[in-house]
């Protein structure tokens, strides 16, 4: 069976083979030839807390190492360096990130040995989010036209002040159509973040705390489409206001 390599690794191999032509591929300590970018368990960490995964469990940064044939090299330890000054975060020997009580964006690189270093990964230190609210204007939807933005804003309480929160993943899902019928992904779909399931998508909040998605329908004979948006705090708990329901009326005759 053919083993599929990660896209980043395939690109790295191709670029390196062009550079070295017929020469030997360089191999460094422990048989490592390539390393992956830093894998972040989340795009943001709450100020004064540790970096966590989507369930709210404390989770480390990780880097994968590969040999010249693209085979994973197990047991390789990376050293993490915060390249932003002042740092505002620390990374321990196990890759666990602890954020100081300050809002900022930091850059982190990882090194394996003394010759391999990743590109910088960006991590946002944010207020702990606690609420999600609808924002923007929701218009009716015409067949074969793009909807208005299904927009939400995520905020948190920062020292008694409500502030927008960046780096929070908001998940969107088409949950129903009326009159009731099955939800056919070829007839009802999100335009951004297309995946195998076209009835689902996700967006990450920007500096204003906003996330949005638009949808399109090719179906006729329906009155409305229902979309649900949901998001969690960085502790893995549903935000106040989540899940949120959008009901888009479908224009008759476009």
């Amino acid at each position: 069976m053919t083993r599929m390599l990660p896209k980043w690794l395939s690109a790295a191999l191709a670029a390196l083979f062009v550079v070295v032509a017929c020469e030997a591929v360089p191999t460094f300590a422990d048989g490592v030839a390539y390393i992956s970018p830093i894998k972040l368990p989340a795009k943001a960490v709450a100020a004064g807390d540790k970096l966590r995964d989507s369930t709210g469990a404390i989770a480390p940064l990780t880097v994968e190492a590969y040999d010249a044939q693209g085979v994973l090299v197990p047991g390789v330890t990376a050293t993490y360096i915060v390249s932003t000054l002042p740092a505002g975060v620390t990374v321990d020997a196990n890759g666990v990130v602890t954020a100081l009580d300050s809002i900022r964006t930091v850059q982190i690189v990882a090194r394996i040995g003394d010759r391999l270093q990743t590109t910088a990964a960006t991590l946002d230190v944010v207020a702990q989010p606690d609420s999600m609210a609808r924002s923007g204007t929701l218009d009716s939807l015409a067949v074969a036209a793009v909807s208005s933005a299904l927009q939400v804003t995520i905020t948190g309480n920062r020292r008694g002040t409500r502030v927008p929160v960046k780096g929070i993943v908001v998940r969107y899902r088409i949950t129903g159509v009326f009159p009731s019928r099955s939800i056919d992904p070829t007839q009802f779909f999100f335009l951004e973040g297309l995946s195998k399931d076209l009835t689902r998508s996700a967006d990450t909040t920007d500096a204003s705390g906003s996330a949005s998605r638009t949808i399109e329908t090719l179906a006729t004979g329906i009155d409305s489409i229902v979309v649900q948006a949901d998001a969690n705090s960085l502790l893995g708990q549903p935000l106040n206001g989540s899940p949120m329901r959008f009901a888009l009326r479908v224009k008759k005759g476009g």
Side-chain angles (χ1 to χ4, degrees), residues 129-154:
D130 58 23
S131 298
M132 181 170 74
R134 185 177 306 188
S135 54
T137 301
L138 188 64
D139 296 325
S140 56
L141 172 64
V143 174
V146 179
S147 74
S148 55
L150 310 178
Q151 185 171 335
V152 301
T153 299
I154 291 179

Side-chain angles (χ1 to χ4, degrees), residues 223-248:
D223 298 325
S224 61
I225 301 172
V226 178
V227 176
Q228 177 177 293
D230 67 86
N232 292 336
S233 74
L234 293 171
L235 296 172
Q237 301 164 344
L239 298 176
N240 293 329
S242 175
M244 182 167 293
R245 183 176 179 270
F246 295 89
L248 292 89

Side-chain angles (χ1 to χ4, degrees), residues 200-223:
R200 296 174 183 265
S201 189
D203 191 22
T204 302
T205 56
D206 59 19
S208 69
S210 295
S212 66
R213 279 293 178 255
T214 57
I215 65 171
E216 183 174 345
T217 179
L218 303 178
T220 58
I222 60 172
D223 298 325

Side-chain angles (χ1 to χ4, degrees), residues 33-59:
Y34 317 99
I35 57 176
S36 73
I38 294 175
K39 299 179 183 296
L40 296 170
K43 299 180 180 181
V45 57
D49 195 15
K50 297 183 184 297
L51 183 61
R52 300 171 182 271
D53 63 20
S54 61
T55 70
I58 295 171

Side-chain angles (χ1 to χ4, degrees), residues 66-83:
Y66 296 85
D67 66 16
Q69 287 71 48
V71 176
L72 182 68
V73 179
V76 176
T77 301
T79 300
Y80 297 95
I81 301 165
V82 183
S83 57

